[in-house]
């Protein structure tokens, strides 16, 4: 009896049992109930807490993506420490008793900047991403030769907890449909992980996606949400995989938000009912997301259907665990459903982390961005007749400043036009330090300028996150084509790469600040301006939520850490999540804000004890702080 041998020898195995239409783990039928959690969206000091809550909800597995660009921001420089310590995450999951379904890409989508692909791939302008393009494959080979050997010891059959590994991600939804590319990846994964590792693909619930995304030798799974007929979806999987387990690799518990959307909500009853139906069919299910977390820094992605739409900072996703990792009604309903199918760990659900409303802090102006280039661009500008992109300048994220002079006197309003829609993604335009307006990709291609010949024109361009899904993921940033002023093409640019994050991480503007006292009459000025202040926490470093009421749009740092973008004017998100461990209980906490358009006269920000993710643009009043 084979299972007796396994019991005696202690050999670990995980495989697809085609005869009995299930997975087999250690010789016994196995069904997983899993949830997606992204280590890149949760600070590492909270990983254990979140994993424990998932285990206590009755899950036996978690599903994780590996964002390539998170580990190799600069080509050939690899980072696996701190919040990027993937092996520490796997170890914590293992200690908690959770198996892992690994999705190492190379492309992950995930509403993450460029779908996890590093922007430096675009240095070859005509590269065909996610295909057998030789430059692309060479980069993929090099990366996988770093990543996959680290993963090998974590495979379940080698004593670890990784039971299966996804190859690429929803490849059928991409236009190239290149089977040679998928064959190449299959060979690569088998080479580094061994032939007996369960490799799988995941695709959307349509024939085209399943056709282009699946390949012999990788188990074909499907994904779908609550708006779908379960038996129809699984019969589609069956057409591509006649035998083996039914698997929904992404069962949507919620959905993402773009700036300007309503906050997504997916009905709790539907989620728990459909989960129950799938589990009773013997299907293995992964819930996407189980906890969403946060797009800190510049890591949010974007969609481009008929226009560019940037994903918000919060990745709360209306998931069972909130953005701050707190149990919700949805979590309890899901736990209740799971308990009908398997034994749930005994004991209480770990509670929500404590939150603190620290109240108001008034910020003071540091200065407008154009006057701070000595600090923010220490290496100085690159001169170029025509604009260069972020990629050509070797700066991939954040902001860059383009400076030139007015070619002639403009006494009347004169149109400044981006005729080829070349502003990716937003440009803030000043003349002689006075803000004149903005250009925005796909929506605002013209604005008016006045001034005198020789006046300095500053165009600050913001990368709002690269497209992470569909055919437009080769998303170059900056000024991609000429700007035309009246009948003149603007030329002779000085282009400043800005290392705002580097300056702030090393203590600016609080340290070494030789500030002349601000003129009390001069209130906040329009255009890109830095503000700073400090928060004292009186001994308690608890989670909190930052609300920038009446501020327009920008970026916030606390103690040198980039919390992400705020845009309350467009919404729906009104607060930024601040994990307590970022704060010092005893020292003053440095707050730095880059407001891009206009700060309110009061320059106050508010630290609240609850999030607001659901306000409609412009309709929030100062008193609203209801739970969303």
């Amino acid at each position: 009896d084979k299972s007796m041998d396994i019991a005696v020898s202690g050999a670990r195995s995980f495989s697809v049992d085609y005869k009995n239409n299930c997975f087999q783990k250690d010789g016994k039928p196995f069904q997983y109930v899993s949830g997606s959690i992204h280590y890149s969206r949760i600070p590492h000091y909270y990983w254990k807490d979140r994993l424990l809550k998932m285990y206590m909800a009755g899950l036996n597995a978690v599903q994780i993506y590996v964002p390539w660009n998170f580990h190799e921001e600069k080509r050939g420089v690899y980072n696996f420490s701190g919040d990027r310590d993937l092996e520490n995450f796997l170890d914590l999951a293992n200690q908690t008793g959770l198996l892992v379904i690994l999705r190492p890409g190379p492309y992950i989508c995930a509403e993450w900047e460029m779908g996890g692909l590093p922007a430096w791939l675009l240095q070859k302008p005509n590269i065909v991403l996610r295909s057998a393009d030789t430059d692309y494959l060479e980069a993929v080979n090099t990366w996988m030769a770093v990543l996959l050997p680290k993963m090998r010891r974590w495979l379940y059959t080698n004593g670890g907890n990784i039971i299966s590994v996804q190859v690429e991600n929803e490849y059928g939804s991409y236009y190239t449909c290149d089977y040679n590319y998928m064959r190449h990846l299959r060979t690569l994964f088998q080479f580094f992980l061994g032939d007996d590792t369960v490799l799988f693909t995941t695709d959307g619930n349509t024939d085209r996606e399943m056709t282009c995304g699946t390949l012999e030798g990788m188990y074909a799974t499907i994904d779908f949400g609550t708006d779908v007929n379960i038996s129809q979806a699984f019969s589609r999987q069956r057409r591509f995989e006649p035998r083996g387990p039914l698997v929904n690799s992404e069962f949507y518990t919620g959905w993402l938000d773009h700036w300007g959307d309503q906050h997504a909500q997916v009905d709790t009853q539907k989620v728990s009912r459909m989960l129950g139906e799938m589990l009773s069919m013997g299907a293995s299910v992964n819930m996407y997301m189980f906890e969403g977390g946060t797009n800190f820094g510049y890591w949010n992605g974007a969609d481009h259907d008929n226009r560019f739409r940037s994903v918000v900072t919060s990745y709360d996703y209306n998931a069972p665990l909130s953005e701050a990792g707190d149990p919700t009604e949805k979590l309890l309903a899901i736990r209740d459903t799971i308990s009908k199918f398997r034994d749930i760990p005994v004991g209480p659900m770990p509670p929500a982390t404590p939150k603190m409303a620290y109240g108001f802090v008034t910020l003071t102006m540091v200065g407008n961005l154009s006057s701070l280039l000595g600090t923010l661009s220490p290496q100085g500008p690159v001169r170029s007749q025509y604009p260069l992109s972020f990629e050509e300048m070797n700066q991939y994220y954040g902001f860059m400043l383009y400076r030139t002079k007015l070619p002639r006197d403009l006494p009347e309003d004169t149109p400044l036009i981006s005729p080829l829609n070349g502003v990716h993604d937003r440009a803030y335009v000043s003349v002689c330090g006075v803000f004149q307006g903005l250009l925005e990709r796909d929506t605002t291609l013209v604005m008016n300028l006045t001034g005198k010949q020789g006046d300095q024109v500053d165009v600050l361009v913001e990368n709002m996150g690269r497209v992470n899904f569909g055919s437009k993921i080769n998303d170059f940033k900056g000024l991609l084509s000429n700007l035309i002023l009246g009948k003149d093409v603007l030329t002779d640019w000085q282009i400043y790469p800005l290392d705002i994050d580097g300056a702030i991480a090393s203590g600016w503007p609080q340290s070494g600040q030789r500030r002349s006292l601000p003129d009390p009459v001069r209130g906040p000025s329009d255009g890109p301006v830095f503000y700073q202040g400090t928060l004292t926490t009186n001994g308690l470093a608890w989670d909190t939520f930052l609300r920038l009421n009446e501020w327009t749009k920008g970026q916030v740092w606390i103690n040198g850490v980039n919390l992400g973008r705020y845009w309350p004017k467009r919404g729906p998100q009104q607060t930024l999540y601040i994990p307590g461990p970022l704060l010092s209980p005893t020292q003053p906490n440095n707050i730095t804000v880059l407001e891009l358009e206009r700060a309110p006269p009061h320059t106050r920000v508010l630290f609240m004890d609850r999030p607001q993710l659901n306000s409609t643009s412009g309709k929030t009043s100062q008193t609203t702080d209801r739970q969303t």
Side-chain angles (χ1 to χ4, degrees):
D1 174 26
K2 192 166 169 229
S3 61
M4 281 301 290
D5 297 344
I6 286 173
V8 174
S9 71
R12 293 157 67 100
S13 66
F14 189 85
S15 62
V16 173
D17 179 345
Y18 289 97
K19 197 164 96 234
N20 298 302
N21 294 334
C22 62
F23 289 113
Q24 265 211 13
K25 181 170 156 285
D26 303 339
K28 297 190 186 66
F30 177 75
Q31 177 183 24
Y32 67 70
V33 194
S34 162
S36 285
I37 177 171
H38 296 161
Y39 64 89
S40 56
R41 287 183 156 120
I42 298 165
H44 66 275
Y45 30 69
Y46 277 149
W47 289 348
K48 203 177 171 73
D49 170 77
R50 310 305 199 247
L51 289 164
L52 182 60
K53 286 168 179 164
M54 294 173 83
Y55 178 78
M56 294 305 290
L59 302 186
N60 57 8
V62 296
Q63 190 194 78
I64 64 170
Y65 276 135
V66 181
W68 177 5
N69 54 10
F70 194 59
H71 297 283
E72 193 184 359
E73 272 191 70
K74 291 194 172 70
R75 187 168 202 154
V77 182
Y78 302 100
N79 184 348
F80 287 95
S81 64
D83 288 340
R84 292 166 169 81
D85 191 343
L86 169 55
E87 291 192 75
N88 178 32
F89 184 89
L90 293 171
D91 188 37
L92 290 170
N94 207 17
Q95 290 172 34
T96 311
L98 290 163
L99 298 164
V100 169
I101 298 154
L102 184 74
R103 309 171 91 185
Y107 161 88
I108 62 170
C109 184
E111 286 77 63
W112 186 262
E113 148 73 47
M114 206 169 151
L117 297 174
W120 48 257
L121 289 168
L122 299 173
Q123 285 190 314
K124 182 198 173 201
N126 54 349
I127 193 166
V128 184
L129 302 168
R130 303 180 71 195
S131 78
D133 177 309
T134 46
D135 294 276
Y136 174 70
L137 283 189
E138 189 188 349
V140 168
N141 293 348
T142 309
W143 162 237
M144 288 301 171
V146 170
L147 175 66
L148 296 180
K150 289 181 189 294
M151 296 299 96
R152 187 162 187 152
R153 58 178 283 245
W154 291 99
L155 294 172
Y156 182 76
T157 48
N158 294 339
N161 51 343
I162 295 174
I163 51 173
S164 61
V165 178
Q166 178 181 283
V167 178
E168 239 269 353
N169 182 63
E170 298 181 326
Y171 187 61
S173 64
Y174 193 58
Y175 72 97
T176 45
C177 197
D178 183 343
Y179 294 119
N180 286 335
Y181 168 51
M182 290 298 276
R183 278 189 201 98
H184 178 90
L185 290 181
R186 181 184 62 194
T187 307
L188 196 62
F189 281 47
Q190 284 168 341
F191 175 77
F192 284 115
L193 301 176
D195 290 338
D196 55 350
T197 300
V198 174
L199 300 179
F200 72 99
T201 57
T202 301
D203 283 286
N205 180 24
T206 68
D207 286 347
R208 165 152 211 284
E209 287 170 82
M210 292 292 287
T211 303
C212 284
T214 57
L215 195 65
E216 190 72 34
M218 301 187 283
Y219 193 74
T221 74
I222 197 163
D223 52 30
F224 56 88
T226 53
D227 52 347
V228 161
N229 177 314
I230 299 175
S231 30
Q232 268 178 343
F234 279 141
S235 68
R236 177 168 277 120
Q237 185 199 351
R238 274 282 169 257
R239 290 214 294 284
F240 290 85
E241 206 60 87
R243 302 203 62 83
L246 297 172
V247 182
N248 185 346
S249 287
E250 290 188 10
F251 173 54
Y252 302 109
T253 59
W255 202 248
L256 63 137
D257 294 343
H258 304 96
W259 293 111
D261 289 354
Q262 290 278 320
H263 179 50
Q265 279 168 324
V266 171
D267 182 68
T268 293
Q269 267 45 62
K270 268 190 183 160
V271 170
S272 51
R273 190 184 71 237
M274 272 182 77
L275 176 65
E277 284 176 37
M278 289 188 284
L279 294 178
S280 64
M281 296 165 79
S284 283
V285 180
N286 172 69
M287 287 168 267
Y288 189 102
M289 296 293 299
F290 208 82
E291 180 191 343
T294 310
N295 295 313
F296 293 109
Y298 309 112
W299 289 117
N300 67 280
D303 279 299
H304 199 303
D305 19 48
N306 46 3
R307 65 185 173 86
F308 177 81
R309 296 192 304 147
S310 182
V311 172
V312 305
T313 305
S314 166
Y315 199 60
D316 174 86
Y317 216 81
N318 194 225
L321 288 169
S322 74
E323 177 178 15
D326 297 337
T328 62
E329 279 175 43
K330 194 173 275 184
L331 179 95
L332 302 176
I334 285 169
R335 181 178 66 171
D336 192 47
T337 298
I338 296 172
S339 69
K340 301 186 173 86
F341 298 91
R342 55 185 305 258
D343 291 338
I344 293 250
V346 182
M349 175 63 65
T353 50
K355 309 291 186 296
M356 178 56 87
Y358 295 106
F360 284 106
V361 171
T362 300
L363 306 185
T364 55
M365 193 164 111
V366 178
N368 73 9
L369 183 141
S370 298
S371 64
L372 297 164
L373 295 179
T375 304
L376 303 177
S377 186
Q379 74 277 53
V382 168
R383 288 167 191 280
S384 172
Q385 169 118 41
Y386 299 110
L388 301 171
S389 67
F390 276 47
E391 294 75 21
E392 288 169 312
M393 291 285 293
N394 286 326
Q395 180 187 320
Y396 300 110
Y397 309 112
F399 303 84
M400 263 186 1
L401 183 80
Y402 296 78
R403 176 172 280 177
T404 185
K405 291 189 161 54
L406 287 184
R408 55 195 168 84
D409 285 352
L410 305 171
E412 307 282 304
D413 273 348
T414 306
L416 176 69
I417 310 177
S418 168
L420 299 176
N421 194 14
V423 171
H424 283 203
D425 301 303
R426 255 174 152 244
Y428 306 88
V429 183
S430 311
V431 176
C432 292
V434 179
F435 184 56
Q436 305 259 333
L438 54 87
L439 297 169
E440 185 175 348
R441 177 174 181 178
D442 296 335
T443 53
T444 311
L445 307 188
V446 185
M447 57 168 283
N448 287 324
L449 285 191
T450 54
K452 295 196 164 51
Q453 182 170 355
D455 280 357
Q456 177 176 295
V457 183
D458 280 348
V459 181
L460 180 73
V461 179
E462 177 185 13
N463 165 359
M464 288 279 298
R466 285 182 185 80
V467 173
N468 59 259
F469 180 78
S471 59
K472 298 195 169 70
I473 56 173
N474 51 337
D475 188 12
F476 297 86
K477 298 301 188 184
L479 294 182
L480 306 187
S481 55
N482 289 320
L483 294 183
I484 309 232
L485 180 59
K487 55 182 182 357
D488 298 300
V489 173
L490 292 180
T491 57
D492 300 317
W493 294 93
Q494 296 179 50
I495 306 168
Y496 291 84
L498 301 180
D499 184 14
I500 299 172
D501 292 78
I504 292 172
S506 59
W508 179 85
Q510 282 82 359
S511 63
Q513 191 44 35
R514 294 191 305 281
R515 251 207 338 272
S516 54
L517 288 170
D519 178 347
V521 187
R522 223 177 110 227
S525 71
D526 288 356
V529 177
F530 282 96
Y531 296 83
Q532 59 115 356
T534 51
L535 165 71
T536 348
T537 61
N538 301 326
L540 292 178
W542 286 0
D543 284 10
T544 184
F545 299 89
L546 177 62
R547 172 153 175 140
L548 291 110
N549 202 39
E550 295 170 21
W551 295 69
T552 310
K553 179 182 198 306
Q555 205 87 23
V556 187
W557 293 259
I558 295 253
N559 293 336
V561 175
N562 191 328
L563 296 178
R565 307 168 199 276
Y566 65 88
W567 202 353
K569 198 163 163 126
R570 197 163 283 190
Q573 178 175 359
Q574 300 294 320
T575 54
L576 292 176
Y577 170 56
I578 302 176
L582 286 186
L583 301 173
S584 162
T586 52
Q587 302 295 307
N589 293 279
N590 291 335
I591 308 162
T592 312
V593 172
L594 168 57
E595 167 58 56
L596 295 163
E597 294 179 45
R598 171 177 264 177
H602 56 71
T603 66
R604 277 197 314 261
V605 298
L606 174 62
F607 292 86
M608 302 171 39
D609 59 4
R610 64 194 61 182
Q612 277 184 271
L613 299 175
N614 203 11
S615 304
T616 45
S617 55
K619 296 195 184 70
T620 52
S621 74
Q622 208 145 351
T623 48
T624 52
D625 67 348
R626 63 197 163 76
Q627 188 92 39
T628 58

